Amino acid sequence: MRPKYMRSPLIPEMATQEVQLNETLAHLKTESETLKSKLEEERAKLHDVELHQVAEKVEGLGQFVMKTRRTLKGHGNKVLCMDWCKDKRRIVSSSQDGKVIVWDAFTTNKEHAVTMPCTWVMACAYAPSGCAVACGGLDNKCSVYPLSLDKNENLAAKKKSVAMHTNYLSACSFTNSDMQILTSSGDGTCALWDVESGQLLQSFHGHAADVLCLDLAPSETGNTFVSGGCDKKANVWDMRSGQCIQSFETHESDINSVRYYPSGDAFASGSDDATCRLYDLRADREVAIYSKESIIFGVSSVDFSLSGRLLFGGYNDYTINVWDVLKGTRVSILFGHENRVSTLRVSPDGTAFCTGSWDHTLRVRAICSLI
Amino acid sequence: MQDSKSGIKGSDQKLNVTTIPYVITGKDVIAWIANKMKTTVEGLAAQVFGNMLVAYGYIYPLQNHKKLVMCNDNTLYRFQTPYFWPTQKWVAEDSDYAIYLAKRNIRKKGMLEPYEQAHYNHLHKWLNHKWDFIVMQATEQYKAGKERKKPDRVVFDCQERAYWMINRPPRRTHSAMDCGPDRLIDPSVEEKITFDQYRRMNIFYQQAIMRSKVKSSVSLGALVKYVTTYKNHDAFLAPCLPSNPWQTDSDAYWNLNMRRVDVPTKMRVERWSFSLFELLTDLRGRDDFKIFLKKEFSGENLAFWEAAEELKWGTASSMKTKAETIFKTFLAPGAPRWINIDGRTMGLTVKGLEHPHRYVLEAAQTHVFLLMKKDTFFRYLKSPVYKDIQKKALNPEPHNFSPAQLEQNAQSRGPGIHPIILWQQEEEEKAKAAAASAPVDVKAMMSKIDRKK
């Protein structure tokens, strides 16, 4: 028998419903927390050894002497992003003033230059064929520019607008062909686009804040990618379904860069919390932290050497730290830039790596001599 | 750091006619930091930290005020007053900057540098509505300044100038206060997680718990194995033969490893043996694999795999036609290059092809890849085709350039073949190959043979 109230009968029902909803919400929250700890438990059960223990029998690395072999000057403002061409010598770079330049880093010649209609071009990528470049930034778009052998041709005329986000474009990458582009944005999503039609093929939702970086898996199936965001999470996505299949939340601040280990079974991340971390995808956990008390400035970008033994990190204190991935120690600290290092990529054949900086220059470095 | 006993030793320094108190040298700062950090091998870390202190404005250079680095020598610096520290968290407003510039203008006309003059003109236009207020403030500050004793005034002027150097750096001066565009979403804002979000999260956690995981010893062991396998191929760990182009300015290494060389290098051939993925990713390796498959009359698996890749990574508009061609060539009953996959996968694939999408061939492609990986690949490595190429492969002698030769190399660096040209050549070759190996219509061939009888 329902108690009598001095109000219309609808209100007690709604009140009960709301109470029910709140209870269910609280119930779900508790369930969520329980499941989260269960997952941690499951992960911990399989954690039978540390990386540096497994690495004990591996030979230590000798002294490294790395030299800047090329300094590319030509940008009039902060260099924000760069990417290598598959020919191992050409690169594309983008800067704050809207300029996108294609260089032959080997000869240091500028081969193409495009001026974007926006500033802060935070993302650029070279197409696998070497025939086009993609870039974007504060214009919220990703545009593809086919390159030409004719130096006098105006590349902007053939520009193709592909991706459209609702906020700034933070990173972009071609997939295994020139026909598809993967993008990440400040609007918290990633997306896969068909270049020819500009059609959205798949969108990826799950980050709670700006997504800052992404990297495609090198594995034989080539169907996954990892993204890092301001919500301190690194998520692994299935490109086919749009689902997040794995998630890691151990960083203490924005994740600025993610890069797969060459075998595709792990990935590294660099964050504003001044650490780089290694995550093992098969064990589903973080397996190494690359940090030092004396390093207090954020990491802007990371990349592995060809064998995966070395991890290069570009930092906001203008330096590059080189880490021994297996033993967890720093093997070298490199200088040269006069402002923060904003982007870092190892060349496709692993013979050198290039860094771009807010000091307007790009530097290509290689090993000087092996001791 | 500023402690008179345990901090950095400072001294008085004469600047023009005034004596500036408590001046420190760069090398003293760096030595003090290095000592505190207890970094001996990496004394360079102290240099870096010193640079950051200057770049953020905690310490400022006395003489060359535009050079925001810590020099490890007798260059003079001073500690910035805490009032001007970036940690004070008040933003350096344009109106403050305008007051500062106006004040300097009052003191002595024409004292502003060109970049400052440009800022001043811009601010005069932009803040015109406030200009009376700005001039009034500037005059007040100027008068108050005159009241101070000369040494204090000079010190304050230095501090203020250093502050604005950090917050409004001229071109080619790199200040650490420079920052990028703001983030859209503030991740630290407490968000109310909705009912739906919780449900999704819980499903995710459940799936994550269910997913098979591998023991750390196994997966980490695999990472270590990978490093060991590729160690000699990593240019940062082992020498590049004949030489690293970036070191010697000779592009011989790239020329020897081009897409369509007749004879590949020994290192390249070795790399093909590491995994089927490596063999197929290197198109030259894939060519060699195709030669082997042709001899075994089992090229259809690889051809199907290649076609499936084309479908997956191709344009959205071409998918339907590609799917039809693939069906006719590889999957239809009696197809000319019929692939032998299990009935269930075949059934699923054929059904999926009724409404083709990008990943419709995924199951079949994986099946075929695994077949090749577990069987064909290993037979290839033991085959005469592979052993033959291993024998023929080049082992270039390491370069030994004299300094004069190195100089010569640097002078004669060429642009190589442009990727666009290589791409065009590659497309031509692909078209030729496709025409040559057009699917053999077995039925037609059979009936032709019958008629001949």
Side-chain angles (χ1 to χ4, degrees):
Chain A
M1 164 94 164
R2 230 187 321 138
K4 283 193 185 145
Y5 290 97
M6 300 301 281
R7 290 173 286 173
S8 95
L10 274 175
I11 294 180
E13 271 201 359
M14 274 166 66
T16 337
Q17 264 182 6
E18 202 185 296
V19 167
Q20 277 176 353
L21 202 65
N22 276 335
E23 278 175 354
T24 333
L25 201 68
H27 175 76
L28 275 180
K29 187 168 177 200
T30 336
E31 191 185 340
S32 189
E33 274 150 27
T34 322
L35 284 173
K36 192 167 176 190
S37 15
K38 178 128 199 279
L39 177 60
E40 286 310 316
E41 225 180 273
E42 292 293 313
R43 282 172 169 172
K45 272 191 208 162
L46 296 167
H47 176 43
D48 55 347
V49 73
E50 296 288 337
L51 179 56
H52 63 86
Q53 289 173 297
V54 179
E56 256 159 36
K57 37 197 168 117
V58 179
E59 220 179 278
L61 293 170
Q63 277 273 22
F64 278 87
V65 182
M66 289 193 234
K67 247 179 110 177
T68 301
R69 305 302 308 189
R70 302 285 188 277
T71 305
L72 302 175
K73 297 192 189 173
H75 276 291
N77 215 309
K78 309 180 174 69
V79 177
L80 303 175
C81 187
M82 59 86 38
D83 191 20
W84 288 90
C85 174
K86 287 220 157 59
D87 77 347
K88 309 146 191 175
R89 49 187 288 173
R90 284 173 170 78
I91 64 174
V92 61
S93 58
S94 63
S95 69
Q96 182 195 347
D97 58 4
K99 284 250 174 15
V100 176
I101 301 180
V102 176
W103 318 70
D104 174 2
F106 190 62
T107 57
T108 70
N109 289 340
K110 294 195 236 329
E111 294 194 338
H112 310 270
V114 174
T115 308
M116 291 276 285
C118 70
T119 57
W120 288 93
V121 186
M122 294 176 256
C124 64
Y126 222 120
S129 69
C131 299
V133 292
C135 49
L138 284 186
D139 58 350
N140 302 357
K141 295 194 232 160
C142 184
S143 313
V144 175
Y145 290 85
L147 299 174
S148 162
L149 287 167
D150 178 2
K151 301 268 167 164
N152 294 324
E153 190 172 329
N154 178 16
L155 295 178
K158 293 219 192 104
K159 164 179 162 176
K160 195 179 218 140
S161 223
V162 175
M164 204 91 88
H165 278 279
T166 54
N167 213 282
Y168 68 87
L169 191 84
S170 53
C172 66
S173 173
F174 283 90
T175 60
N176 282 9
S177 78
D178 288 13
M179 318 295 177
Q180 287 161 23
I181 290 192
L182 192 57
T183 58
S184 66
S185 163
D187 65 11
T189 69
C190 299
L192 182 66
W193 310 83
D194 178 67
V195 174
E196 189 193 48
S197 61
Q199 188 193 355
L200 172 68
L201 298 172
Q202 185 66 261
S203 69
F204 306 89
H205 297 262
H207 277 287
D210 306 28
V211 186
L212 298 178
C213 50
L214 59 84
D215 191 34
L216 275 150
S219 69
E220 41 214 40
T221 44
N223 286 329
T224 60
F225 73 95
V226 62
S227 66
C230 289
D231 57 356
K232 311 173 203 166
K233 288 211 202 126
N235 290 339
V236 181
W237 306 87
D238 181 340
M239 274 162 70
R240 296 166 294 180
S241 60
Q243 294 297 324
C244 172
I245 48 182
Q246 280 174 282
S247 184
F248 303 91
E249 196 176 348
T250 61
H251 269 293
E252 292 163 20
S253 187
D254 300 3
I255 298 178
N256 295 314
S257 170
V258 285
R259 194 72 64 209
Y260 269 96
Y261 190 79
S263 71
D265 289 330
F267 71 91
S269 59
S271 157
D272 273 347
D273 67 6
T275 67
C276 299
R277 292 171 199 241
L278 186 68
Y279 298 91
D280 182 339
L281 291 170
R282 292 164 72 199
D284 198 26
R285 57 195 312 277
E286 173 195 281
V287 293
I289 306 181
Y290 305 101
S291 67
K292 271 181 115 63
E293 254 185 56
S294 54
I295 300 176
I296 56 175
F297 288 87
V299 188
S300 62
S301 55
V302 294
D303 203 356
F304 286 98
S305 71
L306 190 137
S307 65
R309 182 68 192 266
L310 300 174
L311 180 68
F312 300 99
Y315 288 70
N316 290 344
D317 63 1
Y318 313 179
T319 64
I320 295 151
N321 286 302
V322 185
W323 301 90
D324 179 337
V325 171
L326 301 181
K327 302 212 186 250
T329 54
R330 177 174 67 185
V331 295
S332 191
I333 179 171
L334 305 170
F335 307 90
H337 280 298
E338 293 169 15
N339 204 326
R340 64 166 78 173
V341 178
S342 52
T343 177
L344 186 157
R345 296 296 293 263
V346 173
S347 76
D349 63 356
T351 50
F353 72 91
C354 180
T355 50
S357 160
W358 281 16
D359 70 0
H360 312 353
T361 68
L362 293 124
R363 282 169 185 256
V364 179
R365 279 170 235 250
I367 198 108
C368 190
S369 51
L370 295 159
I371 302 172
Chain B
M1 257 186 161
Q2 295 180 282
D3 188 84
S4 53
K5 294 204 194 75
S6 65
I8 302 170
K9 211 170 114 187
S11 62
D12 292 344
Q13 182 68 35
K14 275 198 165 24
L15 182 74
N16 297 333
V17 191
T18 339
T19 306
I20 312 254
Y22 206 65
V23 169
I24 49 187
T25 61
K27 66 176 201 269
D28 281 344
V29 178
I30 291 177
W32 190 92
I33 297 171
N35 190 23
K36 278 286 164 183
M37 276 179 155
K38 296 183 180 34
T39 58
T40 40
V41 180
E42 312 142 354
L44 301 167
Q47 169 80 60
V48 171
F49 194 76
N51 274 343
M52 285 292 108
L53 284 174
V54 180
Y56 273 100
Y58 290 98
I59 292 180
Y60 63 92
L62 208 52
Q63 286 142 330
N64 190 352
H65 58 276
K66 285 192 190 161
K67 198 167 168 211
L68 298 177
V69 285
M70 180 73 74
C71 299
N72 195 356
D73 54 22
N74 288 322
T75 314
L76 302 171
Y77 297 88
R78 284 197 86 245
F79 285 103
Q80 179 61 289
T81 174
Y83 180 71
F84 281 137
W85 284 0
T87 43
Q88 296 298 4
K89 288 204 176 142
W90 40 271
V91 181
E93 295 280 0
D94 276 338
S95 45
D96 292 326
Y97 192 44
I99 294 169
Y100 167 68
L101 292 175
K103 183 171 62 176
R104 288 193 39 216
N105 232 4
I106 293 172
R107 211 214 245 115
K108 188 171 160 192
K109 273 240 179 310
M111 220 178 121
L112 295 178
E113 292 205 32
Y115 81 93
E116 286 173 323
Q117 189 65 50
H119 273 293
Y120 183 80
N121 297 339
H122 174 78
L123 289 169
H124 184 79
K125 206 166 92 179
W126 191 240
L127 296 173
N128 208 311
H129 55 286
K130 281 205 213 176
W131 207 251
D132 290 336
F133 169 74
I134 286 171
V135 170
M136 187 184 77
Q137 283 289 306
T139 323
E140 283 301 312
Q141 288 189 14
Y142 173 62
K143 283 194 199 141
K146 272 171 83 175
E147 304 281 310
R148 288 197 208 101
K149 284 189 275 197
K150 184 132 195 260
D152 287 340
R153 193 163 16 118
V154 172
V155 165
F156 182 73
D157 283 345
C158 284
Q159 289 171 338
E160 206 182 15
R161 180 181 64 184
Y163 175 77
W164 287 113
M165 190 57 55
I166 297 288
N167 285 290
R168 295 287 187 275
R171 271 183 87 68
R172 286 188 251 295
T173 295
H174 300 291
S175 145
M177 289 302 284
D178 229 346
C179 59
D182 282 322
R183 300 272 180 262
L184 174 67
I185 304 160
D186 184 356
S188 47
V189 163
E190 275 305 312
E191 210 188 292
K192 274 205 88 183
I193 306 180
T194 65
F195 189 80
D196 268 333
Q197 279 175 307
Y198 270 124
R199 283 192 61 217
R200 268 189 274 129
M201 269 164 67
N202 290 350
I203 295 173
F204 174 78
Y205 284 134
Q206 279 163 343
Q207 285 176 339
I209 292 170
M210 291 285 95
R211 188 185 319 115
S212 62
K213 293 180 252 295
V214 161
K215 271 201 283 195
S216 284
S217 49
V218 173
S219 58
L220 295 177
L223 292 184
V224 173
K225 181 155 184 255
Y226 189 93
V227 168
T228 320
T229 312
Y230 284 82
K231 191 168 63 165
N232 293 333
H233 295 254
D234 188 338
F236 285 95
L237 302 176
C240 212
L241 295 171
S243 66
N244 186 327
W246 301 100
Q247 268 183 287
T248 59
D249 287 324
S250 154
D251 57 3
Y253 177 71
W254 289 330
N255 292 333
L256 288 171
N257 285 297
M258 293 204 71
R259 157 73 184 93
R260 289 186 179 275
V261 282
D262 272 333
V263 187
T265 61
K266 276 211 172 5
M267 292 298 276
R268 193 172 183 180
V269 173
E270 182 188 87
R271 206 163 152 182
W272 298 345
S273 69
F274 292 163
S275 69
L276 178 60
F277 181 61
E278 284 287 349
L279 178 64
L280 294 182
T281 315
D282 184 352
L283 295 175
R284 179 66 185 78
R286 205 191 288 192
D287 287 345
D288 208 57
F289 192 47
K290 282 185 186 160
I291 296 173
F292 166 73
L293 291 172
K294 203 163 169 197
K295 296 211 164 135
E296 293 229 320
F297 299 101
S298 57
E300 68 279 355
N301 279 344
L302 183 60
F304 174 73
W305 184 86
E306 283 188 315
E309 286 283 286
E310 287 271 314
L311 180 76
K312 201 157 63 163
W313 306 116
T315 62
S317 56
S318 68
M319 272 191 334
K320 201 152 177 291
T321 2
K322 281 188 184 159
E324 277 169 21
T325 319
I326 291 175
F327 178 73
K328 279 200 212 120
T329 317
F330 298 99
L331 301 168
R337 303 194 80 177
W338 193 77
I339 53 161
N340 195 352
I341 53 177
D342 67 283
R344 186 169 172 274
T345 316
M346 179 66 91
L348 278 169
T349 312
V350 169
K351 187 139 201 297
L353 280 168
E354 284 168 25
H355 303 281
H357 58 89
R358 192 165 294 279
Y359 304 107
V360 66
L361 299 173
E362 199 66 12
Q365 190 183 358
T366 314
H367 181 99
V368 160
F369 187 85
L370 281 171
L371 260 172
M372 288 196 291
K373 182 171 161 179
K374 295 194 171 150
D375 177 54
T376 334
F377 176 59
F378 289 108
R379 283 191 289 113
Y380 164 70
L381 291 179
K382 297 195 200 118
S383 72
V385 173
Y386 184 68
K387 297 225 184 288
D388 191 47
I389 197 86
Q390 265 182 315
K391 242 190 287 168
K392 275 208 210 125
L394 300 171
N395 203 4
E397 282 297 312
H399 281 150
N400 199 352
F401 293 120
S402 67
Q405 282 172 317
L406 285 175
E407 185 55 42
Q408 179 67 16
N409 288 346
Q411 300 289 350
S412 51
R413 291 180 215 150
I417 308 178
H418 198 282
I420 296 178
I421 299 179
L422 281 173
W423 177 250
Q424 288 167 344
Q425 286 176 350
E426 195 58 33
E427 291 292 285
E428 278 169 23
E429 291 290 328
K430 269 208 280 194
K432 271 195 233 159
S437 72
V440 176
D441 191 342
V442 179
K443 266 215 273 190
M445 199 177 76
M446 291 288 122
S447 59
K448 205 165 161 194
I449 294 172
D450 278 333
R451 272 183 274 123
K452 271 203 184 149
K453 278 190 195 156

